[in-house]
Amino acid sequence: MNFSELLIQWYKKNQRKLPWRNTRNPYLIWISEIILQQTRVNQGFEYYLRFTERFPDVISLANAKEEEVLRLWQGLGYYTRARNIYHAAQQIIHDFNGVFPADYNDIIKLKGIGSYSASAIASIAFKQCYPVIDGNVLRVISRIYGISIPVDSAKGKNEIKAILYELIDKQNPDIFNQAIMEIGALVCSPKSPQCEICPLQALCFAYAEKKTADFPIKGKKISQRSRYFYYLLIIQKQGEEKYIYLHKRTKNDIWKNMYDFPLIETESEININEYLLSEIDALLKSYDFVIQSVSPTFKHQLTHQTIYARFIKIEISLPNLILKDCSLTIPGNINNYPIPKLIDNYLKTDK
DNA sequence: AAGTCGGGGTG
DNA sequence: CACCCAGACTT
């Protein structure tokens, strides 16, 4: 048997049962592919079920509000995906008469769909012959063929794409694509791959040379930075009712279009009693305020930045403060808004 | 080509 | 802790 036959035979016996594998509906396959971008199957599983239950088709998604889509996405990360998926639903309505496009060259026009997702949808939903290249595939092919160019370079990807066009089962590109990703996830793992049970062992350069740990070769290095967030929980009492200022993040930064609190950010840790007091004083325009409490530091780790956040409760007496992109709400209402994990974590400790 | 965008699992 | 996950978009 050749590469493709060995792979597909293994897949038919060992594949996981996953909800998006029971359908050829391009809409459902699309949603699964976006959710799974840079996201493990286990993490995305429940999100897929919830999302497709609330939005079973393009129309229901297109008729929603972006904020509801973001709320369904809350906790999953990379929220650009949720905004793009919403935008793409409008594209399907307006540019494709509400029908999900059936060709790679149209599919890739949709916002948030790049070469990987277009190949996945075109092959799985429409049996078009486009090989997928994701992190799993890069690892599997680079090990088997001993690819010496960094796989995160254009050259490395093109070399792997050329190999895949030779390997892919042209009658069953859908099965081939899912199989090569599945074996990357279940057998050819980043650390200590299970070469003993791998059906492609006899074909594998890295296994023969005992160099599985040396592949894939990567060039890019991850940069890291620290950010210091001082959140102001500005509480305003009106009779018996308490209100709090909620802030919508509108800039091109993390958590765009999600909600947090008025924020003072610095590049290094600061003394709350000095610098911060003057900042708060300026922000509140010298009106009377009382600092009630200051939380301990919440460390929030992202892929490329570390956030150190503290939450400062402030009570003010004056009504109707004007703060940019802010609105007043009752604290119990915050959970109706899409909020980042950091805010969610804090609110859990505050109750 | 490099930088940016989250959160969580894994060793 | 470092690495990486069914990547895409912007600069």
Side-chain angles (χ1 to χ4, degrees):
Chain A
M1 290 197 287
N2 64 26
F3 182 107
S4 177
E5 291 165 341
L6 288 166
L7 176 64
I8 288 175
Q9 177 184 286
W10 172 88
Y11 178 69
K12 287 185 171 172
K13 195 175 295 180
N14 297 286
Q15 65 172 290
R16 292 168 288 185
K17 295 191 195 323
L18 301 170
W20 48 88
R21 285 181 178 160
N22 300 327
T23 181
R24 300 196 80 85
N25 180 336
Y27 170 80
L28 295 176
I29 293 167
W30 168 43
I31 301 302
S32 75
E33 292 303 339
I34 304 303
I35 285 178
L36 293 174
Q37 285 171 6
Q38 293 294 286
T39 305
R40 285 171 211 278
V41 165
N42 285 340
Q43 191 186 357
F45 194 96
E46 294 295 326
Y47 282 88
Y48 172 83
L49 296 180
R50 267 180 286 162
F51 196 96
T52 55
E53 182 179 10
R54 172 61 186 89
F55 303 123
D57 48 39
V58 177
I59 292 286
S60 57
L61 177 58
N63 286 339
K65 292 180 179 176
E66 184 194 81
E67 197 157 300
E68 187 183 359
V69 180
L70 274 173
R71 240 190 78 68
L72 271 174
W73 214 266
Q74 178 176 315
L76 193 55
Y78 281 169
Y79 300 99
T80 302
R81 296 182 291 175
R83 299 193 303 272
N84 285 344
I85 220 171
Y86 179 66
H87 183 267
Q90 320 296 326
Q91 282 181 277
I92 294 171
I93 298 297
H94 295 123
D95 302 343
F96 298 101
N97 292 318
V99 180
F100 199 98
D103 183 76
Y104 177 93
N105 296 108
D106 287 327
I107 296 172
I108 203 168
K109 290 175 185 166
L110 299 173
K111 197 84 171 172
I113 296 187
S115 59
Y116 163 78
S117 299
S119 298
I121 299 168
S123 65
I124 298 171
F126 302 109
K127 285 241 176 200
Q128 291 194 314
C129 192
Y130 292 89
V132 294
I133 301 179
D134 74 332
N136 292 307
V137 176
L138 291 176
R139 188 170 54 255
V140 171
I141 296 298
S142 71
R143 281 176 174 164
I144 292 179
Y145 288 85
I147 304 296
S148 54
I149 312 169
V151 298
D152 51 3
S153 68
K155 269 189 181 179
K157 267 184 189 148
N158 282 333
E159 185 171 335
I160 287 173
K161 186 189 287 187
I163 293 171
L164 286 167
Y165 268 112
E166 295 298 317
L167 295 176
I168 193 169
D169 183 334
K170 293 177 177 54
Q171 308 307 315
N172 303 291
D174 50 339
I175 302 176
F176 177 91
N177 279 339
Q178 294 181 82
I180 194 166
M181 290 190 283
E182 189 80 335
I183 204 169
L186 298 183
V187 177
C188 195
S189 43
K191 289 182 180 175
S192 50
Q194 299 183 256
C195 302
E196 303 73 27
I197 63 168
C198 182
L200 305 172
Q201 185 199 95
L203 306 174
C204 186
F205 172 86
Y207 177 77
E209 302 284 324
K210 300 189 190 304
K211 287 183 177 175
T212 56
D214 296 337
F215 295 97
I217 295 170
K218 297 202 173 184
K220 292 179 189 170
K221 291 145 200 165
I222 30 167
S223 62
Q224 261 286 355
R225 68 164 167 151
S226 296
R227 302 173 72 173
Y228 298 83
F229 285 7
Y230 297 90
Y231 274 121
L232 308 183
L233 279 58
I234 306 173
I235 296 159
Q236 181 174 307
K237 277 187 179 171
Q238 288 182 3
E240 293 298 306
E241 286 296 335
K242 281 164 94 178
Y243 295 86
I244 188 165
Y245 284 88
L246 205 59
H247 170 249
K248 181 171 183 177
R249 300 179 61 87
T250 59
K251 294 177 181 169
N252 285 325
D253 191 2
I254 56 172
W255 307 328
K256 184 179 178 183
N257 289 5
M258 299 180 77
Y259 290 80
D260 57 2
F261 300 109
L263 172 63
I264 294 173
E265 180 179 353
T266 60
E267 291 186 356
S268 58
E269 194 168 7
I270 49 141
N271 186 320
I272 291 184
N273 291 328
E274 297 172 9
Y275 175 82
L276 202 56
L277 259 178
S278 65
E279 286 292 311
I280 295 172
D281 205 49
L283 193 64
L284 301 187
K285 301 180 180 61
S286 299
Y287 289 120
D288 285 345
F289 64 88
V290 178
I291 294 184
Q292 283 194 323
S293 64
V294 179
S295 79
T297 300
F298 285 66
K299 184 179 178 183
H300 193 68
Q301 187 66 56
L302 304 180
T303 300
H304 36 278
Q305 47 188 283
T306 307
I307 295 166
Y308 299 93
R310 300 186 78 173
F311 296 82
I312 302 160
K313 276 191 187 172
I314 301 170
E315 215 169 87
I316 61 172
S317 51
L318 72 153
N320 302 329
L321 195 58
I322 304 297
L323 297 172
K324 191 177 185 310
D325 295 321
C326 287
S327 56
L328 269 180
T329 187
I330 56 174
N333 202 22
I334 295 176
N335 283 325
N336 295 331
Y337 294 87
I339 55 175
K341 196 71 180 172
L342 169 63
I343 302 300
D344 198 31
N345 288 342
Y346 167 73
L347 291 175
K348 282 173 186 165
T349 68
D350 189 44
K351 286 172 181 171

